[in-house]
Amino acid sequence: MRHFLSIKDLSKGELLYLVKKAMDIKKDPRKYEDAMDDKTLLMIFEAPSLRTRLSFEAAMLQMDGHAIFYTTSESTLGKKESMKDFSRVASRYVDVIMARLFSHSDLEELAKYSSVPVINGMTSAEHPCQIIGDFLTMLERRKINKIAYVGDCNNNVTNSLLYAAAMLGIDIAIACPKGREFEPDRSVINECRRITKKSGSHIEVFHKARQAVKDADFVHTDSWMSYRIPKEMEPLRIKKLRPFQVNAQLMNYSNNALFMHCLPAK
């Protein structure tokens, strides 16, 4: 049994295998129409989502399985039941669990006591399924030499993108405002730089967007206001992040890059 909680759970070969498998499923979905026959997926949602729910639920249906939607807002989890008890009970009923939680430690606790595989549908630390999807999209279109990420870089998407690029030997440049609020997690940067010593790629952090997107094949970003940022912070964040907005002018500095955004694009 394998859990998928982080890009770090994979080797380079396994990461590429998942991307290529996704390509094959996309090319010939009928070949996989009974791949989840008689299997049940439990989808636990603490953070709301349109795309995560639809993609997992539709995939289970298309592969002859079934998905159960379960929101923690209507749950006894954390009130009458511990994560340990919840995990042990849930894994007796279903074959796979996907959890979209705020706390990565909660996800790890869920996986620790689960007797079925647990998939990270998003936590504050990582967003691995999205990055698998991103690399599927990018590799379908062109060779990737360099990726740029601009904006708020202290988030789950940046972390998973850094891990994947480092593992695959792809250069990645980050651009964000100065300050710990926006800069990528230092421990993630340090760990990825250790990985790049083997893979041969480079990681750079800039505080000017133009420097990061120079020669980039793909430019990534994310929303300036994530789920857990207080609404009253929006005017200040817009002011600080405005120079890092991805627009036509910024894209002109890239290698005719394609734009990657995980949505919603507000």
Side-chain angles (χ1 to χ4, degrees), residues 123-181:
T123 67
S124 57
E126 277 206 58
H127 209 334
C129 292
Q130 178 177 302
I131 298 309
I132 297 291
D134 278 1
F135 273 90
L136 162 65
T137 300
M138 290 188 288
L139 288 169
E140 280 182 327
R141 282 157 176 78
R142 65 194 295 187
K143 182 180 179 182
I144 315 169
N145 293 308
K146 179 183 174 181
I147 295 168
Y149 186 102
V150 298
D152 181 1
C153 298
N154 185 9
N155 61 31
N156 48 16
V157 174
T158 308
N159 292 345
S160 290
L161 195 62
L162 279 164
Y163 285 128
M167 289 168 60
L168 296 176
I170 295 168
D171 290 344
I172 181 167
I174 303 293
C176 61
K178 291 182 179 180
R180 293 181 62 184
E181 179 186 359

Side-chain angles (χ1 to χ4, degrees), residues 121-236:
M122 189 210 75
T123 67
S124 57
E126 277 206 58
H127 209 334
C129 292
Q130 178 177 302
I131 298 309
I132 297 291
D134 278 1
F135 273 90
L136 162 65
T137 300
M138 290 188 288
L139 288 169
E140 280 182 327
R141 282 157 176 78
R142 65 194 295 187
K143 182 180 179 182
I144 315 169
N145 293 308
K146 179 183 174 181
I147 295 168
Y149 186 102
V150 298
D152 181 1
C153 298
N154 185 9
N155 61 31
N156 48 16
V157 174
T158 308
N159 292 345
S160 290
L161 195 62
L162 279 164
Y163 285 128
M167 289 168 60
L168 296 176
I170 295 168
D171 290 344
I172 181 167
I174 303 293
C176 61
K178 291 182 179 180
R180 293 181 62 184
E181 179 186 359
F182 299 106
E183 293 176 351
D185 187 296
R186 183 52 52 184
S187 65
V188 174
I189 290 288
N190 290 340
E191 188 169 5
C192 287
R193 282 184 169 145
R194 286 194 292 270
I195 296 171
T196 59
K197 288 181 179 178
K198 285 188 175 181
S199 68
S201 59
H202 299 90
I203 298 171
E204 295 179 288
V205 180
F206 298 102
H207 296 298
K208 290 186 178 180
R210 292 179 182 180
Q211 292 175 304
V213 303
K214 186 179 184 297
D215 299 327
D217 301 299
F218 293 89
V219 175
H220 295 243
T221 195
D222 197 354
S223 170
W224 294 349
M225 291 294 292
S226 68
Y227 296 109
R228 306 194 81 183
I229 295 173
K231 181 69 176 175
E232 58 267 24
M233 294 294 296
E234 187 169 9
L236 179 60

